[in-house]
Amino acid sequence: MFLAIWFLLQAISLLGVINYWRHLPTDRQEEAPDGAVMILSVRDDWEGDSELVTRLRAQSAPFRLLLATSGACAAAEALAAAEPDWVQIVRAGVASDEGQKVHKLRAALKVLREADRYLIFIDADIEPPMRLAGRLLFPLVRDKADIVTGYRLLLPAGQGIPALVGAVELQLATLPRAASSTMPWGGAMAMTRAAAERIDIDAALAGRLSDDMAIGLAGWRAKLRMRPVRDLLVASPLDGALGALWGFGVRQYRHVLTNSPRMWAVATGAVALQSGLWLWALGWGGWPAIMIGYGAAWGRAAARRQILAAVLEPAQVARARRSLWWDMVAPFAVCWAHLAVQLHASLSNRIRWGGWTYRVVRGRVVEMGRG
């Protein structure tokens, strides 16, 4: 009985990753319309001469860059002064009742120009490919979607804990994508101006901490067409000590829990089932159960290896593949670590992010302070 359930679960998980791989776009069509604006929220210590700026200059589709700052980012000021035809800066000040990033984004939205028809949102810690803007714009220009999104793909700095965190995130990144279950990721997201107005994006973000959860839930309620761009698994470097990396994972799931407890419960239930059956397989299932588990894990790793090669640059692929070793050597550890992070997230509604601690109730910031 348990062996049959275990086999079915592992087959489903393997087929899910294969489904993602087989549905990667091959033509990767792009659009380069007029009226695109890219909004980038940056911290005060952001470096304007970073690799990100170089990558943004190399994008295949043109856009105006709107830097949202607190007003104390010297690098952003220098970049705006050096390239005024490309870069505009907005100084939002410091938030008192919402997330700092959300506060900056809301300030940027207030200075949009009449000609801005397409809004692109990115994070400052990504390594975007040249096609990012053009690929995000393509479904919008062709009227195939109202909101489109890529997803984060972590590049761990080493084989240890960073690679384990990367393996957990890789489980999420390579889940099959469907429009009815797509949540946007604020690190690489775009929408039409009409869609932003339809969800009243300023009101949707007001008082919130998570920009992508707020926009995604507002889009679902408005029944907007939200579509994934499957080949936009965007490289995001990952490094740090155990505490910082653990906090990163807990923060992601605490965002989910404080905005949509049902979504957290479904995700946690799925991982708990996989984790519990791994415990059974190792303790009582015998060699057949272990071989089924490892066979599926190696199959997923092989499919993910192909996905990484298809969506990343060669140097990025080498870093991303570090996470595959965990799924090949200790796939049970990946599941157990994933479940532990989800359960830890449920112990509090306080979220530490960017030097601030927020208490969040039903997605809204009710208390905040530095530290």
Side-chain angles (χ1 to χ4, degrees), residues 79-104:
L79 184 61
E83 303 192 50
D85 293 335
W86 180 45
V87 181
Q88 179 186 356
I89 192 167
V90 58
R91 304 166 187 85
V94 178
S96 60
D97 59 355
E98 59 191 1
Q100 301 302 324
K101 180 184 178 183
V102 162
H103 186 66
K104 294 170 188 173

Side-chain angles (χ1 to χ4, degrees), residues 164-178:
L164 175 59
V165 175
V168 170
E169 187 72 11
L170 200 53
Q171 290 183 333
L172 303 174
T174 54
L175 282 173
R177 295 289 191 268

Side-chain angles (χ1 to χ4, degrees), residues 84-337:
D85 293 335
W86 180 45
V87 181
Q88 179 186 356
I89 192 167
V90 58
R91 304 166 187 85
V94 178
S96 60
D97 59 355
E98 59 191 1
Q100 301 302 324
K101 180 184 178 183
V102 162
H103 186 66
K104 294 170 188 173
L105 293 180
R106 292 183 65 206
L109 291 168
K110 288 180 171 64
V111 300
L112 291 177
R113 300 171 183 173
E114 186 176 350
D116 294 331
R117 297 185 297 147
Y118 303 101
L119 315 182
I120 304 172
F121 300 85
I122 67 166
D123 282 347
D125 60 351
I126 64 173
E127 296 179 2
M130 289 178 57
R131 68 183 187 278
L132 181 129
R135 289 291 290 135
L136 288 174
L137 290 168
F138 173 76
L140 303 180
V141 174
R142 298 294 181 93
D143 196 28
K144 296 176 179 291
D146 303 304
I147 299 176
V148 295
T149 183
Y151 194 73
R152 170 179 49 234
L153 207 159
L154 297 177
L155 306 183
Q159 296 281 9
I161 298 302
L164 175 59
V165 175
V168 170
E169 187 72 11
L170 200 53
Q171 290 183 333
L172 303 174
T174 54
L175 282 173
R177 295 289 191 268
S180 60
S181 60
T182 292
M183 278 293 289
W185 171 56
M189 171 178 63
M191 67 184 70
T192 62
R193 181 75 170 270
E197 292 172 351
R198 184 172 167 186
I199 64 173
D200 192 355
I201 189 170
D202 181 67
L205 290 172
R208 303 284 178 169
L209 179 59
S210 172
D211 54 310
D212 35 22
M213 288 295 300
I215 291 172
L217 292 173
W220 276 3
R221 287 191 292 267
K223 294 181 169 43
L224 296 185
R225 299 168 299 166
M226 296 192 288
R227 300 287 188 270
V229 182
R230 290 178 178 84
D231 61 285
L232 282 185
L233 293 179
V234 184
S236 181
L238 178 72
D239 197 7
L242 174 60
L245 296 174
W246 187 266
F248 165 77
V250 170
R251 183 174 72 244
Q252 305 311 311
Y253 271 106
R254 206 162 278 174
H255 280 313
V256 176
L257 178 60
T258 53
N259 280 274
S260 177
R262 183 180 300 179
M263 190 182 302
W264 174 88
V266 170
T268 302
V271 177
L273 177 62
Q274 182 86 277
S275 298
L277 285 173
W278 258 118
L279 184 63
W280 167 82
L282 294 171
W284 299 273
W287 283 109
I290 293 174
M291 291 176 65
I292 289 171
Y294 268 89
W298 285 25
R300 290 191 300 267
R304 286 170 177 152
R305 184 182 179 90
Q306 297 300 317
I307 293 171
L308 297 180
V311 303
L312 296 178
E313 300 166 6
Q316 295 172 340
V317 171
R319 288 185 285 167
R321 282 180 176 168
R322 292 167 179 162
S323 296
L324 297 179
W325 287 104
W326 277 98
D327 213 14
M328 295 176 66
V329 176
F332 52 87
V334 179
C335 289
W336 294 346

Side-chain angles (χ1 to χ4, degrees), residues 37-53:
V37 57
M38 182 177 287
I39 302 174
L40 171 61
S41 170
V42 297
R43 298 180 182 177
D44 293 344
D45 59 354
W46 180 66
E47 298 179 2
D49 59 349
S50 64
E51 181 183 355
L52 174 62
V53 175

